[in-house]
Each structure stands twice: as structure tokens, then as C-alpha cells.
Amino acid sequence: MSIFKKIFGKTADKEDTGKSTSERSKYMPEEKLPLDEQFIHNFTQQGGRFLYAVDENEVQQHFEDILVEHDFFETPVFCYDERLCDRFDGFNLSFNSYNKDSSFFLSTCEYIIADNGAILFSSNQIKERKPKQLPDTFVILGSTSQIVESIGEGLRGIKLHSKETIPTNITTLKNFQDNSVVKEKEKDLMNYGVPNKRLYLILLEDL
């Protein structure tokens, strides 16, 4: 995951194996950005809030920072995942799986899509609810190994890893700007009618 190492100063590349853009022939096709760089650009361009973590301590710190930013302490939190409830049980939150008016929705995701900055969910995370039936703020836990190039690759991954039954309600979110500042754009079929959400992605390095 080169971009994370560059941005957060984890390690430096040992050598530069390619030529700079200025040295490349004008007849050669443009080099594609690494998946991590594609994702960061597309996700943040759409208003997504990106928080990178190298270990569990940083995950917990980022989570606390989000609670502080919005004064979410001692509030109800919508969460289906018992593992996440246990993971963040030290923050005096009231977890539930029914209250749409909770302060935020806490979840994992299926995949993280590089080419459009979207987050891919299924019934494994959101059951049969539509995004509009969930709180306006999402806090999502993901890992770098979940970054794939396209929605198609994510769908293939879901099919491959579904041992018995393929999950339903497969949905992408990729509109993270406030409604008041978002310009009307044409949406893809999977994202048609999906409302904008304020979304924080805590991304744990696992590669």
C-alpha cells in the first residue's frame, strides 16, 4: 500500500522503478494510479472522511476523535455487528439495531471501490434496510485488503466468499457531501436514489 506509507511516513520506497511523467513518451498510455491512490482521491473528492490506522490503538483513537467532534458520547448508536459493539464498548455508548434516529450507524463493509471512491455493502452489514432507513452519519471500519478496483470485482469477491448463500441488498454509497452543496449528478444504477451520507472510513492497514 504505497500511498499510505508515503502519506503517513511508514517507510520509503527503496528505488524508483519507473520514469517520471515528463520522461514518458507522449505516445505511451497514461500510467494508472495504484488502487490506494485512486481510492483516496475519489473518496475524498466526494466528501468522504478518511482516517488511516496502522494498529488497533489508532483505530480506537480515531473512533474517539469522531465522538468528540460530534459530541456523540452517551448517545444511541445503530449497529448490527456484535463484534463492533464489543470492540467499542469502552465509550459509554448505547448500541441498538432498531433506532433510525441514533447518532450514527457503525458497521464494516464488503469492499472499498477504488475507481469511484464508493463503499460496497450487503445484507451482511445493513440487513434489508435501505440507506435512507439508516442514520445520516456512518462510521465504517474497513481494511486495506478490502480495496478493489471496481464494483464488478467487489461483486465477484462477494460471490467467491459466500460459502452457502449470496447476500442480498447489495448497495454502494458514494455521495458523502452535504445535500446543500452537492450538485445534481447522474448516478449509476446501483446508487440511484441513494441519499447522501456523512461517512467516516477508519481504514486499518492489514497488508
Side-chain angles (χ1 to χ4, degrees), residues 90-138:
F91 292 96
N92 201 19
L93 299 169
S94 176
F95 297 102
N96 70 85
S97 59
Y98 55 84
N99 186 0
K100 177 187 178 296
D101 296 322
S102 295
S103 55
F104 62 94
F105 175 57
L106 176 64
S107 180
T108 58
C109 62
E110 291 286 353
Y111 286 99
I112 296 163
I113 312 301
D115 69 0
N116 65 0
I119 308 296
L120 183 63
F121 300 95
S122 77
S123 55
N124 288 331
Q125 293 83 38
I126 61 175
K127 305 301 182 184
E128 297 305 322
R129 289 182 179 265
K130 299 182 183 300
K132 66 181 180 180
Q133 296 174 310
L134 296 168
D136 291 334
T137 297
F138 281 37

Side-chain angles (χ1 to χ4, degrees), residues 23-169:
E23 293 175 316
R24 289 174 57 82
S25 168
K26 64 180 180 179
Y27 300 107
M28 295 180 66
E30 291 187 10
E31 291 181 320
K32 290 186 67 174
L33 290 174
L35 294 186
D36 46 14
E37 293 189 45
Q38 287 185 51
F39 170 70
I40 291 174
H41 173 77
N42 292 324
F43 180 72
T44 56
Q45 281 289 105
Q46 296 177 109
R49 283 80 163 175
F50 171 75
L51 301 165
Y52 175 68
V54 296
D55 55 31
E56 183 61 24
N57 287 335
E58 290 193 357
V59 169
Q60 295 285 327
Q61 184 60 60
H62 288 321
F63 188 77
E64 182 176 6
D65 290 342
I66 295 169
L67 300 184
V68 170
E69 179 180 353
H70 299 287
D71 194 20
F72 282 158
F73 291 101
E74 299 183 7
T75 62
V77 176
F78 198 117
C79 183
Y80 287 121
D81 193 329
E82 291 294 334
R83 293 169 300 178
L84 292 182
C85 296
D86 293 338
R87 190 172 184 176
F88 298 107
D89 66 352
F91 292 96
N92 201 19
L93 299 169
S94 176
F95 297 102
N96 70 85
S97 59
Y98 55 84
N99 186 0
K100 177 187 178 296
D101 296 322
S102 295
S103 55
F104 62 94
F105 175 57
L106 176 64
S107 180
T108 58
C109 62
E110 291 286 353
Y111 286 99
I112 296 163
I113 312 301
D115 69 0
N116 65 0
I119 308 296
L120 183 63
F121 300 95
S122 77
S123 55
N124 288 331
Q125 293 83 38
I126 61 175
K127 305 301 182 184
E128 297 305 322
R129 289 182 179 265
K130 299 182 183 300
K132 66 181 180 180
Q133 296 174 310
L134 296 168
D136 291 334
T137 297
F138 281 37
V139 177
I140 303 303
L141 276 291
S143 59
T144 52
S145 61
Q146 289 177 288
I147 299 177
V148 295
E149 183 171 10
S150 65
I151 291 175
E153 187 175 346
L155 295 176
R156 288 191 294 273
I158 290 175
K159 184 176 180 180
L160 179 65
H161 293 103
S162 300
K163 297 180 179 179
E164 297 180 359
T165 304
I166 296 177
T168 59
N169 198 22

